[in-house]
Amino acid sequence: MNEFSGLTFSVTDDRLVVSICPPNVRPDLDLDSLRVLLTEAGLGNWRLAKEAAQNLLECYGASTSEMELTIAERCDASFTLEIAPDAMQVWANVVPACGGEDLDPDEINLALIDAGVTFGIDSSAVSAACALDFAERMLVAAGQPAEDGINAHFEMLVADTRDRRPQVSEGGLIDFRELGAIPMVAAEQPLMRRIPPTTGTAGRNVRGEIIEPVPGQDALFDEGLIGAYIDKEDASLLRAVFSGQPVRVGHGANVEQVLTIRQVNMASGNIGFDGTVNIEGDVSPGMKVRASGDIVVGEVVDGAELDAGGDIRVAGGIIAQARVRAGGSVSARFVESAHVFSGTTIAIDDTALQSELQANNQIIVGIKSTQRGRLAGGSAKAMMLIKTPILGSPTGGVTNLVLGVNPALDAQYQDLLKVIEKQREEENKLEMLVKHMTKIGDKSGMLERAKASWEQAIKAWAKLLPQRDELERQLALIAGARVEVGMSMAGAVDMLFGKKVSRLRKTYETGSFSIEGDHVVFTDKEGNVSPAA
């Protein structure tokens, strides 16, 4: 028994009782002081409920006569085990002792064994659970998750290889990259290595049961690769057939032959080449250059026609009604009075004047002339972005901009919807046939074949759905289309966002134009938004 400041603690019939004798002087008593008193009295293993402790403090401070309070009842520590539905984790829900016996780690260990838990027991966690002085849920065992296998993948062995697959950011913009020098490989040079799939590593749950991993999916080199072959002694190695430019395409790489000529004029004649064409000088008026790969021009395209399956890079300008068309990107130092079409991005170092520009993703003007670069006159059409330091001209005609439109993408989407609908109709017909034959009996012996055809139709239809979802995702990005002006806009500019036209005839400073609801708005560099008019 311990007396302190009018408090006397005693244990009676498994109850902790406190007697309060109001002293002449009442020192302050709080929860921490109460715990010290219990410890000094050798009763530190009694856990007081919050309500009981608060009642004692209040009575001690207000009592005017002797009184007794029961503040706790003796109980031994206890626990229950909780096993996760997937048997990958086990928790111990511990209630500490109150004046009774503490938990022994062996108690929990035996309970785990009785529950069938034989793997992943954490001995230190079990000991910690037994030492708790407050109710707690503690993880005492955990299984080892299986590690799924890695899919087969393909590693380029040529550092400077071209990759014509567009790299699209989350905002829908394609990363533009200049061609630079043409990468070359020699005949028989290794191009790509196929890294086989892995089977993964098996796991184990807390009951010791094996969890099988999901093996990685296999993939082989694409068929029909050009200028590349699979090594006869190593089926995972791709080599070059001849010297040329390596281009990554899906699960493989092509080697495009490179034709290098001084210039294209009447002496050389028109050029048509299955590969990449490297022109060191000019392309003269009236000449035509067609290539299945890239076209690189060292100087000027003057009133000529270029058509490339890959990218086109012109070190000089594109002028005098020249027509340039690329399946990939187009880059040039400047464009004037010309027609340029790009399957991805048009990038102009300096200016684009009185030209017809169209890119399925973005048009960027003034890359190397951020203060003087200008887009003025003619038209510029892009799905996601048109960016220029200076837009329009006070003395020129109207500059027409069209954004948020991708006819090729929309046409692809509409065509796919028709195919999906047709495939769905075919699948419904086969389903009805199978049900009918099942109901009336398979007298002709065609039921199994009909079921197989039905299953194939379902798979073919389901295979198209991810393509549809991806096209819908890309089309949804159109809502974020914008025009960015780095310095200023002046003169007459007509902007068409989808079907919303805004005819602008006043000067704007740095900022961007975009569509907000049914209105074209201008956001200045401070972030202020106002209607564009």
Side-chain angles (χ1 to χ4, degrees):
M1 187 158 48
N2 180 42
E3 298 183 5
F4 178 80
S5 301
L7 295 178
T8 302
F9 299 99
S10 61
V11 177
T12 304
D13 297 331
D14 289 333
R15 293 181 300 118
L16 177 60
V17 178
V18 60
S19 299
I20 302 175
C21 180
N24 294 328
V25 179
R26 297 174 189 260
D28 291 336
L29 180 64
D30 55 25
L31 190 57
D32 290 338
S33 300
L34 179 59
R35 288 181 178 133
V36 171
L37 288 175
L38 287 169
T39 300
E40 291 178 348
L43 303 170
N45 62 338
W46 288 78
R47 314 299 175 203
L48 302 187
K50 184 177 180 181
E51 295 79 5
Q54 189 62 39
N55 185 38
L56 171 58
L57 296 179
E58 291 175 359
C59 290
Y60 174 78
S63 66
T64 58
S65 59
E66 293 185 10
M67 60 186 305
E68 274 192 358
L69 295 174
T70 297
I71 57 175
E73 294 187 3
R74 187 193 304 275
C75 65
D76 295 335
S78 62
F79 71 94
T80 58
L81 294 180
E82 179 185 343
I83 302 177
D86 61 359
M88 290 300 290
Q89 292 175 310
V90 182
W91 295 272
N93 295 293
V94 177
V95 177
C98 181
E101 295 294 330
D102 291 329
L103 282 175
D104 188 303
D106 287 342
E107 294 181 63
I108 296 180
N109 287 326
L110 287 173
L112 288 170
I113 293 173
D114 289 342
V117 178
T118 60
F119 179 82
I121 298 174
D122 187 342
S123 298
S124 61
V126 171
S127 298
C130 294
L132 289 172
D133 58 2
F134 53 89
E136 181 64 59
R137 179 175 183 261
M138 179 169 286
L139 184 68
V140 293
Q144 178 66 46
E147 294 183 10
D148 291 341
I150 300 172
N151 293 341
H153 54 286
F154 299 83
E155 183 179 285
M156 287 300 300
L157 303 178
V158 184
D160 295 327
T161 184
R162 296 293 317 288
D163 190 346
R164 293 209 178 100
R165 298 172 300 176
Q167 305 299 312
V168 183
S169 68
E170 291 184 0
L173 295 178
I174 292 176
D175 293 335
F176 174 73
R177 178 172 60 90
E178 289 187 356
L179 294 177
I182 297 175
M184 296 291 291
V185 294
E188 302 300 323
Q189 184 172 341
L191 297 173
M192 176 181 281
R193 176 164 291 283
R194 169 184 166 274
I195 309 300
T198 61
T199 57
T201 303
R204 185 176 295 182
N205 65 21
V206 295
R207 296 190 177 100
E209 299 165 339
I210 299 299
I211 302 172
E212 296 295 340
V214 177
Q217 296 183 0
D218 201 0
L220 303 177
F221 287 117
D222 289 344
E223 296 182 357
L225 296 175
I226 300 172
Y229 73 96
I230 299 173
D231 191 297
K232 294 180 180 179
E233 297 181 358
D234 185 351
S236 293
L237 181 63
L238 198 66
R239 292 182 179 273
V241 175
F242 44 72
S243 299
Q245 177 184 200
V247 178
R248 181 165 189 157
V249 286
H251 295 163
N254 291 334
V255 176
E256 296 179 351
Q257 298 188 72
V258 178
L259 173 65
T260 300
I261 54 178
R262 176 67 187 90
Q263 58 186 7
V264 178
N265 51 27
M266 294 298 292
S268 68
N270 295 328
I271 303 296
F273 189 70
D274 188 7
T276 291
V277 177
N278 181 30
I279 304 165
E280 296 174 341
D282 296 328
V283 183
S284 300
M287 305 308 297
K288 297 180 180 181
V289 180
R290 289 183 173 83
S292 62
D294 303 324
I295 298 177
V296 181
V297 180
E299 296 184 15
V300 174
V301 177
D302 183 359
E305 183 177 328
L306 271 59
D307 192 335
D311 300 334
I312 294 178
R313 180 191 180 194
V314 180
I318 303 172
I319 62 174
Q321 300 304 316
R323 293 183 175 274
V324 171
R325 183 181 187 89
S329 63
V330 176
S331 64
R333 188 162 66 85
F334 65 92
V335 178
E336 184 172 354
S337 301
H339 305 264
V340 179
F341 173 86
S342 164
T344 56
T345 298
I346 295 175
I348 310 300
D349 290 344
D350 195 353
T351 59
L353 306 176
Q354 302 298 329
S355 296
E356 307 297 320
L357 309 178
Q358 181 176 340
N360 283 341
N361 191 260
Q362 59 186 315
I363 297 172
I364 306 173
V365 177
I367 292 177
K368 294 184 179 179
S369 184
T370 57
Q371 302 295 315
R372 297 181 298 103
R374 181 188 295 271
L375 170 61
S379 68
K381 302 176 182 179
M383 185 178 88
M384 294 302 303
L385 172 67
I386 297 176
K387 182 177 181 179
T388 180
I390 302 172
L391 177 60
S393 172
T395 59
V398 178
T399 303
N400 293 282
L401 305 184
V402 179
L403 291 103
V405 176
N406 188 331
L409 193 65
D410 188 63
Q412 185 180 352
Y413 178 64
Q414 295 302 326
D415 290 343
L416 182 61
L417 290 182
K418 293 177 182 178
V419 174
I420 289 175
E421 181 62 26
K422 184 177 180 180
Q423 195 69 47
R424 182 60 173 167
E425 290 177 1
E426 181 68 20
E427 186 264 324
N428 286 335
K429 290 178 182 178
L430 288 168
E431 180 183 11
M432 293 175 63
L433 176 61
V434 169
K435 289 181 177 179
H436 178 69
M437 295 178 68
T438 302
K439 183 177 181 180
I440 66 173
D442 184 20
K443 298 179 181 180
S444 60
M446 296 289 292
L447 180 57
E448 290 304 318
R449 293 174 62 182
K451 284 183 177 179
S453 298
W454 181 28
E455 291 176 0
Q456 289 299 319
I458 292 174
K459 291 179 181 179
W461 171 72
K463 190 175 182 180
L464 296 173
L465 298 184
Q467 299 178 38
R468 180 199 63 186
D469 295 342
E470 176 59 22
L471 287 174
E472 288 179 347
R473 185 192 69 80
Q474 293 184 44
L475 288 169
L477 292 171
I478 291 175
R482 66 189 187 277
V483 176
E484 294 185 5
V485 178
M487 298 294 293
S488 63
M489 192 205 84
V493 176
D494 289 350
M495 291 187 187
L496 175 64
F497 282 85
K499 296 181 180 179
K500 181 63 179 179
V501 179
S502 185
R503 305 185 190 281
L504 309 179
R505 298 295 185 269
K506 70 177 186 180
T507 300
Y508 287 87
E509 300 300 323
T510 303
S512 64
F513 297 89
S514 59
I515 191 77
E516 191 172 287
D518 293 331
H519 304 283
V520 177
V521 298
F522 176 73
T523 305
D524 64 22
K525 61 182 178 181
E526 304 297 332
N528 301 310
V529 181
S530 60

